[in-house]
Amino acid sequence: MAKKIIDMSQSPRAGQFAYFSAMADPWAGATVMVDITDFLSAIREKGLPFFLSFLFAVTRAGNAVPELRRRLLPGGFPVDGGEQTLRAHA
């Protein structure tokens, strides 16, 4: 999938984009409780390392959400970065 410029005037997230675009260093974070019991059982059964398996799963989940794949081009134009925008680095 090629990068596609997003018309923010037509986006339901135009307000959030305007808010965060005005910041010098925009970011958002969240801390949540997640039950990984089944995940742990599955990776232990297969003998997979926890960190790399979890990093893969989180990156794959993030790439499944189109809004999390968005990036800004120079000049501030938002684009959908394609299917694999988020990349894991260990």
Side-chain angles (χ1 to χ4, degrees):
M1 174 188 229
K3 292 180 181 176
K4 177 179 80 168
I5 294 179
I6 299 165
D7 180 3
M8 290 309 295
S9 67
Q10 303 298 316
S11 173
R13 291 181 167 47
Q16 290 94 333
F17 179 75
Y19 175 77
F20 284 103
S21 294
M23 296 181 178
D25 188 22
W27 64 274
T31 301
V32 297
M33 297 292 290
V34 178
D35 181 0
I36 61 169
T37 305
D38 293 340
F39 177 78
L40 280 175
S41 296
I43 65 168
R44 285 179 180 156
E45 182 179 300
K46 295 176 182 178
L48 298 172
F50 172 78
F51 178 76
L52 293 176
S53 300
F54 192 75
L55 186 61
F56 173 80
V58 169
T59 302
R60 187 169 180 182
N63 277 321
V65 179
E67 291 81 8
L68 295 180
R69 295 191 311 249
R70 290 183 180 177
R71 297 294 178 263
L72 293 178
L73 293 175
F77 299 104
V79 296
D80 181 330
E83 294 178 15
Q84 294 294 319
T85 298
L86 301 176
R87 292 181 176 84
H89 299 280

